[in-house]
Amino acid sequence: NAGVTQTPKFRVLKTGQSMTLLCAQDMNHEYMYWYRQDPGMGLRLIHYSVGEGTTAKGEVPDGYNVSRLKKQNFLLGLESAAPSQTSVYFCASRRGEGNQPQHFGDGTRLSIL
Amino acid sequence: GDSVTQMEGPVTLSEEAFLTINCTYTATGYPSLFWYVQYPGEGLQLLLKATKADDKGSNKGFEATYRKETTSFHLEKGSVQVSDSAVYFCALTFLDYKLSFGAGTTVTVRA
């Protein structure tokens, strides 16, 4: 069972470059999420989606865009990377009904120089 | 808004010691509560959950009880092992389907 798969696992970018992080889940989950994890700050929600074709802003959406063209995929884009976006990014998904737990990928470690 | 406050770390213990990580929450209603664990280099895994007051979640020797009167969900384990070294996150979810996380507590268990 793959669960939630994130690609790439590591990436180094220069300031101003763009890139897309891919999240794929094979559990037919309705909801998907992107978080960033920074030391001492826990996980902060960037964007989330409650279904195919829908997206919404989380706590820290500035500088990021997302798309959910297919139910199983949730893409996170950085249009013009900044050093402040150096972080570990986690994708998660969950079933739609009830207060279900989220299932997480293994993360993408992104460094912006 | 909904929020979670958990005990700051890091916490360092000897093997077979008793572990407690405090977690309190603020919410307008009755959320579901979770403990997640993150082992080095990995994503978060659900450790246990409780969905209503007085529920006790348990897994891998860890326990936590949903206490409405004290708005708490403290994590406990009676005898820790080196393999329990990880970062532990308390979290809640409510009607908006988002998780609110605590800042995480790093636990190191020494042999």
Side-chain angles (χ1 to χ4, degrees), chain A residues 33 37 45 90 99 102 105, chain B residues 32 36 38 43-44 89 97-98:
Chain A
Y33 306 82
Q37 183 179 30
L45 182 64
F90 287 99
N99 285 339
Q102 295 181 14
Chain B
S32 290
Y36 282 84
Q38 183 180 30
L44 279 70
F89 292 93
Y97 310 117
K98 293 180 284 186

Side-chain angles (χ1 to χ4, degrees), chain B residues 36-109:
Chain B
Y36 282 84
V37 59
Q38 183 180 30
Y39 299 105
E42 298 183 10
L44 279 70
Q45 303 173 24
L46 179 67
L47 181 59
L48 53 84
K49 69 175 184 179
T51 57
K52 61 183 187 296
D54 299 324
D55 266 2
K56 177 185 283 189
S58 61
N59 186 27
K60 300 182 180 180
F62 289 90
E63 292 183 341
T65 301
Y66 189 144
R67 302 285 189 199
K68 184 180 67 174
E69 62 276 10
T70 54
T71 63
S72 65
F73 192 54
H74 304 322
L75 182 68
E76 298 181 336
K77 185 172 185 181
S79 178
V80 294
Q81 304 300 313
V82 172
S83 58
D84 294 324
S85 298
V87 183
Y88 293 83
F89 292 93
C90 186
L92 67 82
T93 192
F94 199 40
L95 296 176
D96 62 358
Y97 310 117
K98 293 180 284 186
L99 271 176
S100 295
F101 285 93
T105 302
T106 300
V107 173
T108 302
V109 180

Side-chain angles (χ1 to χ4, degrees), chain A residues 39-110:
Chain A
M41 303 186 75
L43 275 76
R44 294 182 292 169
L45 182 64
I46 304 171
H47 286 282
Y48 65 102
S49 168
V50 298
E52 182 178 322
T54 72
T55 62
K57 294 180 180 180
E59 301 172 68
V60 289
D62 294 342
Y64 305 96
N65 57 76
V66 288
S67 64
R68 182 106 181 263
L69 299 179
K70 294 183 179 180
K71 186 177 184 179
Q72 63 267 33
N73 295 337
F74 195 30
L75 278 62
L76 177 70
L78 286 72
E79 291 184 348
S80 180
S84 61
Q85 294 177 304
T86 293
S87 187
V88 181
Y89 292 85
F90 287 99
C91 177
S93 70
R94 56 159 276 183
R95 288 167 52 193
E97 67 276 13
N99 285 339
Q100 299 294 323
Q102 295 181 14
H103 299 259
F104 285 80
D106 287 339
T108 295
R109 187 173 297 275
L110 184 61

